[in-house]
C-alpha cells in the first residue's frame, strides 16, 4: 500500500445499494476521522436482496471496477451483506486493491449467545447463500441458527434516513417472522445480516419486547479497514466526502442530510 501523497490522499470507497453502508461507515470514521470517503449507492439496483446470484455476480464487480477507475481508492469496502456473500470473490479477483466484505456476524453471535439459539435477519438472497451455511458450520455448529428474510426492513431503513418514521407494524412483522418460528422464543441474540438493519436497532429492540442483543459486523469491519490502511498518512483535517449513485441525483435529494451528517457533501452520478 502506498503512502498518501502530499495534498492528494486516495479515499476509502464504500459500496451499498442505498443508505445501509452508513452503518459501516459510521464505525469506520470513528477510527479514521480524516480519511477521505467516497460512498457509492447503487440505487438503480436496489434491492439486491431480490436479485439472482448471476445478476449480482456480474453487476457488483462491474460497478466496483468503474468506481475504482474513477476514484482510485486505497481500499474498497462492500458495505452490503448481499453483495459480499455472493460477489466478494469476483470483486477481489477483478480489483488490485484490498477489498473488505461485510458478512453475517455468526462467529461473534455464537460466542455471545447464552441460550444457544441465534436469529439471523437478512435479505432473501443473503439467507439462502452457501457462504452463510459455511459460516454456520464453521462457527455455530453446536448452536441453533434460525433465519428469516426481512426485505421490508430495507425500505423501512431507507424511509428513516429520509426523515420519515418507519412503520412500527413493519418492524414488528419482520421480527415476528423470526421469533415466532419453532424455538424462536429461546433466541437471545439476533444477527443483523443486512447493513440497512442496524439503522433500525432501536425500533427492533423496542418491538422485541424482551431483552435480545442485536449484533452486526460494523465495528469489526472498521478495525479491519484501519488495520489494512495502517501505513497511510491521512490528512490532518477531515475531508469533504463524495456520494456517487447509479440513480438520478434528483431521486436522492431526500437523503442528502443523512449523508451530510457524515461529512459527505458532494453528490455525483456514476
Ligand atoms: N444493504 C444490503 C445488504 O446488506 C441490502 C439491501 C438490498 O436488498 O439492496 O444486504
Amino acid at each position: 500500500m502506498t503512502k498518501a501523497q502530499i495534498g492528494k490522499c486516495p479515499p476509502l470507497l464504500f459500496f451499498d445499494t442505498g443508505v445501509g453502508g452508513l452503518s459501516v461507515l459510521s464505525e469506520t470514521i470513528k477510527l479514521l476521522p480524516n480519511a477521505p470517503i467516497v460512498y457509492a449507492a447503487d440505487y438503480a439496483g436496489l434491492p439486491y436482496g431480490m436479485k439472482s446470484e448471476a445478476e449480482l455476480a456480474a453487476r457488483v464487480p462491474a460497478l466496483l471496477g468503474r468506481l475504482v477507475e474513477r476514484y482510485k481508492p486505497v481500499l474498497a469496502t462492500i458495505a452490503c451483506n448481499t453483495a459480499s456473500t455472493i460477489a466478494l470473490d469476483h470483486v477481489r479477483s477483478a480489483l488490485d486493491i484490498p477489498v473488505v466484505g461485510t458478512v453475517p456476524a455468526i462467529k461473534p453471535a455464537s460466542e455471545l449467545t447464552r441460550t444457544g439459539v441465534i436469529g439471523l435477519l437478512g435479505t432473501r438472497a443473503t439467507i439462502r447463500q452457501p457462504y452463510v451455511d459455511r459460516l454456520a458450520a464453521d462457527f455455530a455448529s453446536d448452536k441453533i441458527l434460525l433465519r428469516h428474510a426481512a426485505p421490508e426492513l430495507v425500505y423501512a431503513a431507507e424511509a428513516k434516513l429520509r426523515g420519515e418514521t418507519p412503520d412500527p407494524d413493519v418492524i414488528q412483522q419482520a421480527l415476528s417472522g423470526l421469533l415466532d418460528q419453532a424455538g424462536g422464543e429461546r433466541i437471545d441474540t439476533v444477527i443483523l445480516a443486512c447493513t440497512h438493519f442496524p439503522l433500525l436497532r432501536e425500533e427492533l429492540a423496542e418491538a422485541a419486547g424482551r431483552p435480545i442483543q442485536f449484533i452486526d459486523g460494523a465495528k469489526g469491519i472498521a478495525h479491519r479497514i484501519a488495520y489494512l490502511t495502517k501505513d497511510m498518512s491521512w490528512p490532518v483535517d477531515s475531508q469533504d466526502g463524495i456520494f456517487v449513485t447509479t440513480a438520478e441525483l434528483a431521486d436522492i435529494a431526500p437523503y442528502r442530510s443523512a449523508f451530510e451528517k457524515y461529512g459527505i457533501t458532494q453528490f455525483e452520478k456514476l
Side-chain angles (χ1 to χ4, degrees):
M1 202 167 298
T2 53
K3 292 255 179 198
Q5 289 157 13
I6 293 162
K8 180 127 182 55
C9 185
L12 295 175
L13 172 67
F14 289 80
F15 178 87
D16 183 39
T17 47
V19 293
L22 287 176
S23 62
V24 180
L25 176 69
S26 60
E27 292 299 332
T28 307
I29 59 183
K30 286 181 195 163
L31 300 182
L32 305 172
N34 295 344
I37 302 296
V38 174
Y39 185 105
D42 182 14
Y43 269 111
L46 185 147
Y48 276 5
M50 297 303 195
K51 289 193 165 27
S52 70
E53 281 74 359
E55 193 175 353
L56 291 176
R59 185 180 183 96
V60 174
L63 282 175
L64 275 155
R66 286 172 62 197
L67 289 161
V68 167
E69 205 174 295
R70 190 193 283 193
Y71 296 104
K72 315 248 179 301
V74 65
L75 176 147
T77 301
I78 306 181
C80 171
N81 286 260
T82 313
S84 299
T85 55
I86 293 172
L88 187 55
D89 290 344
H90 300 88
V91 173
R92 283 193 171 135
S93 50
L95 302 182
D96 57 5
I97 56 168
V99 180
V100 176
T102 306
V103 298
I106 291 178
K107 186 171 185 244
S110 182
E111 288 159 5
L112 281 170
T113 180
R114 292 286 158 261
T115 61
V117 186
I118 302 165
L120 185 147
L121 285 175
T123 64
R124 250 184 237 303
T126 295
I127 71 160
R128 67 170 181 252
Q129 289 315 307
Y131 199 123
V132 178
D133 300 338
R134 283 197 298 276
L135 287 174
D138 289 349
F139 302 114
S141 58
D142 56 342
K143 309 286 184 323
I144 295 170
L145 181 71
L146 300 176
R147 309 179 194 189
H148 179 64
E152 62 276 32
L153 292 183
V154 173
Y155 295 102
E158 290 285 325
K160 182 175 176 183
L161 273 78
R162 287 194 303 266
E164 298 162 24
T165 305
D167 182 346
D169 291 346
V170 167
I171 313 281
Q172 189 67 62
Q173 263 173 28
L175 205 51
S176 298
L178 191 61
L179 302 182
D180 295 351
Q181 291 181 29
E185 68 288 349
R186 294 183 55 225
I187 290 175
D188 65 350
T189 306
V190 171
I191 303 163
L192 301 176
C194 167
T195 53
H196 278 76
F197 300 174
L199 303 171
L200 299 167
R201 197 186 300 275
E202 293 79 32
E203 290 83 352
L204 285 162
E206 200 184 318
R210 64 180 173 86
I212 286 182
Q213 40 194 353
F214 290 92
I215 66 160
D216 64 83
K219 279 200 174 70
I221 294 164
H223 281 282
R224 182 83 189 133
I225 295 169
Y227 173 76
L228 289 172
T229 58
K230 63 184 185 312
D231 295 333
M232 291 293 294
S233 309
W234 299 115
V236 285
D237 297 317
S238 66
Q239 307 288 298
D240 284 345
I242 298 173
F243 172 96
V244 57
T245 183
T246 50
E248 293 308 318
L249 282 182
D251 297 340
I252 61 92
Y255 299 100
R256 275 182 182 245
S257 60
F259 284 96
E260 281 164 0
K261 283 194 191 114
Y262 296 96
I264 294 172
T265 55
Q266 296 178 59
F267 295 84
E268 300 179 359
K269 182 155 167 54
L270 184 65

